[in-house]
Amino acid sequence: MTNALDTFVLRLPEDLHLRLRRAAEMNRRSLNSEIVARMERALTSMSAGELDDGSKFALIRKVIVLENTLEQIKMNAASD
């Protein structure tokens, strides 16, 4: 595997280009970095659909634990 970066021209509709540029500014990164981050996030979410059942259940358990922890924090904050 190579560490070389591929360069290519990407043609975007003007309104999409403007929205991406604004998002990049809000996230304090370059337009290129914004596009790469969004593509990585999209591909990661796509591959999540390919998880085996054990991995899915483990993630569900983690979400439940986090939800319970959040509830405990809210209850503690309300009692203070």
Side-chain angles (χ1 to χ4, degrees), residues 24-72:
E25 289 172 5
M26 287 176 51
N27 293 319
R28 297 179 182 204
R29 54 184 165 208
S30 68
L31 178 60
N32 186 76
S33 294
E34 184 69 25
I35 292 169
V36 169
R38 287 171 178 257
M39 290 174 71
E40 286 177 339
R41 190 170 47 225
L43 292 173
T44 299
S45 67
M46 283 175 48
S47 63
E50 300 173 39
L51 292 175
D52 60 83
D53 287 343
S55 296
K56 288 178 186 176
F57 288 128
L59 288 172
I60 291 169
R61 282 192 298 274
K62 287 181 182 183
V63 168
I64 292 169
V65 168
L66 289 172
E67 287 175 337
N68 291 338
T69 303
L70 181 57
E71 282 302 314
Q72 286 293 324

